[in-house]
Each structure stands twice: as structure tokens, then as C-alpha cells.
Amino acid sequence: MRGVTAMAVAVRRPDGGITSRAETLHGLATSRLRTVPLLRGVLVLLETMQLGMHALTWSAAVAAGAVDEHGEAEGLAIFDWIALIGAFVFGVGVFFIGPVLATAWLDRIASHWVSIAAEGGIRVALLLGYIWVIGRKGDIARVFQYHGAEHMTIYAHEDGRELSVPAVRRYPKEHPRCGTSFLLTVALVSIFVFAFAGTEPLWWRFASRLILIPFIAAVSYEAIRFAGFHQRWPVVRWLFAGNIALQYLTTRRRRRADPGRDRRAPALPRRRAGARTSRQRVTADPHAMDAAIRARRSIRGLEGPPLPPDQVEALVALALTAPAPHHTEPWRFVEVSPARREALADAMGAAWDTDLDADGHTEARRAWALARSHRRITGAPTLILGCLVAEGLNTYADDRRARAEWGLAQHSFGAALQNMLLGASARGLGAYWISAPLYAPEAVRAALDLDPAWEPQALVCIGHRSAEYVPFDRRTATCRGSSCGGSDRITLTPALSPQGRGAEGCHANVEVSWVG
Ligand SMILES: Cc1cc2nc3c(=O)[nH]c(=O)nc-3n(C[C@H](O)[C@H](O)[C@H](O)COP(=O)(O)O)c2cc1C
């Protein structure tokens, strides 16, 4: 990975450990020439080739145990250089000259626009085919997992997040400034550039494919850079959708049970030998699971210091395992620091007061409700805001399906929050859910400077349970089906009013409604 002033490489060693090194960048890489439009694209291309070679040589040396006592790799031998230059010339030949050879004859039977379009089409097909074929190999598939992880890390870094696994996991694996997207952009930009370069005479047709490479790289670099900084513009997202789509091939998320995750051999035989995985532990003792679910209560009496960061991360990580529609990860969480709490409580309080006033509540009643809400927000040992984003959800022109789609995300949010509450309860902590942000999203957004794409849903207060707090009596919603009547389709709704109580055959406080 290359940053503004430094680069870092991490390599998995044969023994399973990881060796990494970081280097400060000097010279052309950080010079003022790097700010000159178009020129910077050419410099980046040269620098990427140089840094990439350097990193590859070093990683090969680490893998072969051929580094010296300072961790440096030996220089390349003459044969390595020949092989490298040969591979480079072969790549440029196949990608730039090959399509001309394959299509030049078309000029005899059609306009030169046809052969230019066919040449460009072959170039794009070669690129996609190559990526698809190599991605099927185990090792490269694994590289693509690292590639996705690298993008997620860069997102987190650019977002100012700490670089921990749970924090990084919530970012997408596709990045608009990705190197493979650059290759696709090169292939597409070259169609336009070569169209202007013309096709006559034949020697120029071949020569232009080589001479114009730096110019094409420069334009492509500017395009990618622009797209990266203007992702919020729908037209940019639309124009560069192909780049993001290509990354479905070149980036992967590591699957949970991926045996390639860690090559440290002992882990696999142990698992095969039937060592208990966490999944097996859960299914082996369903009663423990049942008991943990039953034991969770909303604990509104909280005290003690804020949770340590690793405990917050662990609870958020549990939330992130929730089921979600279309394999999306629509949840986002913010730990609200004490410094922001007053502003948050005031903003939400003002919004709520307006609603209570409109509902006709007395001033005394409003003051009481607002003071309690203020106390809960400012006094929670740890306060976490949960949000949803629409990223990855289907979009529909009609309101009915659009609302349903958002409903799917909200269902998923409920599951995520339940995971977090269960995790807190299992750790002996108290926690409860505050849904007020859903009623005052703008107030929350403004008070916390939230990303406009994040839709506030709920707050979770977490801390140590105060000994005095007694949870509300739980009214169990169970129904003995046979005595409820003949239908096998029933819905149970917890009774909200006395009229709802006592439906025949059911627990005293559920209302039974028949469906169908
Ligand atoms: C969507 C949702 C919103 C909730 N909002 C609040 C809230 O704003 N304030 C609160 O004190 N509890 C809130 N709760 C917690 C419920 O009041 C609580 O879960 C319910 O009374 C059952 O009690 P238990 O959690 O102890 O089983 C909410 C729960 C859910 C699922």
C-alpha cells in the first residue's frame, strides 16, 4: 500500500507469521511534479512499476527465506531481469499490438471505425478474460481477498477510523481508485485515443499503440482520480460503474470457513479431527442459547465507567454478524463520546419537544420526559448510535417496493442490535435500546456531523447494571395453538390495551388475530 509519503508491504511467511516493512518515499514520488495534471499519471505509472517490482522481489525473498540480517532482499540476478523484461514486453505486445494484428484486415471490408471498435473490444475482452482466468487459481483468488481487504483498509484510513478488523470490515471491498479499475479505464480510454490517432499508414497504426501509452495512462489516471473524489455525483457513479463491477472479479471477501485463511497447518487437522467449532458449541447446547436469550433484559439503570474500546469493538463485531438482505452490510455504528452528548441530547430534545407540543402534552409532562431522556443520553457509560445505509439495496421506481426494501434493511438492523444486546447481556453488562433517533434523524445528524448517507436508527446505552434497577415484568407471548382455534396461521401481538387481553386459549396478555 502506498500512502502520500510512505509505502508499506506485508508478506505471509511460510511459517504462517507476517513480516512487514514500511519505507518513506523520496524523490520523484513526492516531488512537486506529482501535482502537475497529466504528468502525474505518467509518474505514478513509472513509480508503481518500480515500487511494485521492489515489493515483489522482497516478498519472494521473504517467502524463500533469502533476506539478509537487515531484512533486505538480494538484488535481482541477470536472469531475473531478462525474465521480467520479457514478461513486460510480452504483456504490452499482447495487450496493445495483438488486437491491431487481429483486426487490421477489417479495413479492407469495412470502415476503419469498425476495426478500431473491434480492436478496443478485443483489448477489453483480453483484460477481462485474463483477470477471470487467473482469478480461478487458488493463489490468485487469495491475492484477490487481500486486494479487497486492502481497499477496505484504505476506506477506513481515509475515513479517519482506527485500523481494527471490526472497523475495517464495514467498508466495501470495491474502491473507485483501484489499480485494476485503472487497467479497464486504460482499455476504454485507448479506444477513443486510437480512434483519433487514425489507422494509416500501417506502421503508424502499430507505432501509435506504443507511443501513446503514456498519454493514455495520464488521461486514465486523471479520470480515476476525478471519479475517486466525486463518488457522490450520480453521473460519476454511473460512468465508472464498470470499474466497480470489474472489482467483483478482482476483490473477494474472505469466507468465514475459508480453509485458506491461515496456512498454519495445525489448525486444519484439528478442525477435521472434530475439534468443537463455535458453531458446534452453540448447537451442542441449545439450552444455553435459550437461557442466554431469555436472560437478556432492557436494563435502564446503568453505572460505572465507559466500556473499554476492545469491549465496544467486540459488541459491534457481533452486530455485524446479523443476517442482512442481498448479502449487504447496511449497518453503521458510532460510539458517541461524552463531549458530544450534550449537543446530541439538546438537539434530540428540541425535536421531541416540538412533537410533544403538537400532540398537546402539558409543559410539566414535556419537561419531565425531556429531562429523563437528556439524563439517559448524557449519563450512559457507553453510548452507541446505530445507523443504516442504502448501499447495495435494490432500488425501485415505485414507492411500495422502495419502502419494502428499506424495511428489509430495518429488519436486519433489529437483528444486529439484538446481537449487540445479547453480547452485552452475556458479558454481565446492562444495555437498552433508545429508538428516539428514528424520530429526529436530522437533529442527530447535525449534532454528530454524520455522513448524510447514514440514516440514524437507534441508540444503545451500555454499562454496568445498577443493583437497584429491576427490569419490567415480561409478558410472555405464547399461544397454545390447538386451543386457539382451527386455523394454523396465527399472529400474536402483545396486548397494548385491556381489550386485547384474554383471547381464548392464549396467554392472558396476547391478542390473537386470524390471518386467511
Ligand atoms: C424497536 C425498539 C425500540 C425501543 N425503544 C426503546 C426506547 O426508546 N426506550 C426504552 O427505554 N426502551 C426501548 N426499547 C426496549 C423495549 O422497551 C423493551 O425491549 C421491551 O419493553 C421488552 O423488555 P426487555 O427488553 O427487558 O425484554 C425498544 C425496543 C425496540 C425493539
Side-chain angles (χ1 to χ4, degrees):
M1 278 192 221
R2 185 204 191 282
V4 179
T5 55
M7 68 167 272
V9 192
V11 178
R12 174 83 68 187
R13 292 192 308 267
D15 67 1
I18 293 174
T19 300
S20 61
R21 68 182 285 169
E23 270 175 49
T24 309
L25 298 170
H26 305 283
L28 267 188
T30 51
S31 79
R32 296 183 62 162
L33 291 177
R34 281 291 302 265
T35 58
V36 180
L38 289 178
L39 178 60
R40 60 191 169 195
V42 182
L43 294 180
V44 166
L45 186 65
L46 294 174
E47 179 210 278
T48 305
M49 279 164 39
Q50 190 230 329
L51 294 182
M53 273 310 307
H54 187 50
L56 269 178
T57 320
W58 183 70
S59 67
V62 171
V67 285
D68 62 21
E69 69 273 21
H70 308 295
E72 295 295 334
E74 291 160 17
L76 289 186
I78 184 76
F79 292 114
D80 298 329
W81 278 112
I82 293 173
L84 251 168
I85 293 168
F88 180 75
V89 170
F90 179 76
V92 169
V94 168
F95 191 63
F96 282 97
I97 303 296
V100 184
L101 283 173
T103 55
W105 62 273
L106 279 172
D107 283 0
R108 275 182 260 135
I109 57 168
S111 119
H112 83 278
W113 295 110
V114 174
S115 62
I116 295 264
E119 178 192 332
I122 289 180
R123 201 166 278 123
V124 172
L126 275 175
L127 176 69
L128 298 182
Y130 173 71
I131 288 173
W132 182 73
V133 168
I134 61 168
R136 297 170 68 83
K137 283 189 59 182
D139 274 1
I140 301 292
R142 185 148 170 73
V143 168
F144 286 171
Q145 289 177 350
Y146 285 126
H147 188 206
E150 179 217 335
H151 287 173
M152 292 155 80
T153 309
I154 287 173
Y155 265 124
H157 175 66
E158 292 179 344
D159 233 10
R161 306 282 311 189
E162 73 174 296
L163 298 182
S164 63
V165 172
V168 166
R169 269 202 65 210
R170 64 190 77 159
Y171 289 92
K173 63 183 177 55
E174 296 85 16
H175 196 287
R177 298 198 315 275
C178 162
T180 48
S181 296
F182 175 73
L183 294 181
L184 181 61
T185 309
V186 163
L188 295 175
V189 167
S190 68
I191 297 179
F192 293 97
V193 174
F194 293 154
F196 282 106
T199 53
E200 297 297 337
L202 195 60
W203 68 264
W204 165 246
R205 190 158 179 167
F206 283 103
S208 62
R209 283 7 182 206
L210 299 177
I211 294 168
L212 290 172
I213 290 176
F215 177 69
I216 292 168
V219 173
S220 305
Y221 176 80
E222 296 301 330
I224 293 271
R225 192 170 186 277
F226 183 84
F229 290 122
H230 297 85
Q231 270 301 290
R232 283 172 200 277
W233 295 9
V235 64
V236 168
R237 283 207 300 275
W238 181 79
L239 272 175
F240 289 83
N243 281 356
I244 296 293
L246 175 65
Q247 293 176 47
Y248 284 112
L249 289 180
T250 62
T251 59
R252 308 230 167 111
R253 271 181 195 276
R254 180 178 63 74
R255 269 187 252 122
R256 218 156 280 281
D258 184 352
R261 177 191 173 196
D262 193 332
R263 283 157 184 260
R264 275 173 286 193
L268 296 177
R270 244 205 339 264
R271 201 169 266 195
R272 285 195 202 106
R276 294 189 313 170
T277 62
S278 58
R279 182 193 164 100
Q280 284 166 326
R281 250 198 313 276
V282 169
T283 49
D285 187 0
H287 301 297
M289 178 66 132
D290 295 0
I293 291 173
R294 287 208 177 88
R296 183 214 56 80
R297 297 306 315 272
S298 292
I299 306 294
R300 299 175 182 85
L302 300 174
E303 58 190 23
L307 266 55
D310 61 330
Q311 216 163 34
V312 174
E313 291 280 342
L315 294 178
V316 171
L318 282 177
L320 304 186
T321 64
H326 324 305
H327 306 285
T328 55
E329 296 188 316
W331 340 271
R332 301 286 183 272
F333 292 95
V334 179
E335 186 179 357
V336 186
S337 68
R340 295 267 195 161
R341 305 267 186 96
E342 284 288 335
L344 177 65
D346 287 349
M348 284 172 55
W352 194 19
D353 196 32
T354 309
D355 289 342
L356 288 175
D357 191 24
D359 292 345
H361 289 287
T362 63
E363 201 157 318
R365 158 89 188 137
R366 279 156 46 201
W368 174 82
L370 292 175
R372 190 179 70 161
S373 153
H374 195 280
R375 234 180 6 254
R376 286 181 165 179
I377 291 170
T378 53
T382 288
L383 185 70
I384 295 178
L385 171 73
C387 302
L388 276 178
V389 293
E391 199 176 285
L393 295 178
N394 291 344
T395 50
Y396 295 105
D398 62 288
D399 199 41
R400 174 178 59 85
R401 283 183 299 166
R403 258 189 296 132
E405 189 70 13
W406 188 245
L408 302 187
Q410 290 192 309
H411 291 180
S412 171
F413 181 83
L417 233 59
Q418 169 77 339
N419 283 358
M420 190 183 276
L421 295 176
L422 283 171
S425 164
R427 286 164 175 75
L429 297 167
Y432 68 102
W433 182 321
I434 297 182
S435 47
L438 205 51
Y439 296 90
E442 290 314 323
V444 175
R445 214 177 257 133
L448 299 183
D449 245 347
L450 271 192
D451 183 323
W454 292 26
E455 289 290 340
Q457 302 293 308
L459 288 164
V460 185
C461 302
I462 315 176
H464 291 282
R465 298 157 172 251
S466 103
E468 292 91 62
Y469 184 80
V470 182
F472 281 65
D473 274 352
R474 179 177 265 157
R475 299 186 255 165
T476 317
T478 53
C479 175
R480 296 175 209 99
S482 59
S483 54
C484 281
S487 170
D488 56 354
R489 295 177 64 193
I490 57 172
T491 56
L492 303 177
T493 37
L496 295 174
S497 63
Q499 292 91 312
R501 295 182 178 210
E504 196 197 336
C506 295
H507 201 277
N509 51 23
V510 297
E511 196 178 287
V512 180
S513 46
W514 303 97
V515 183

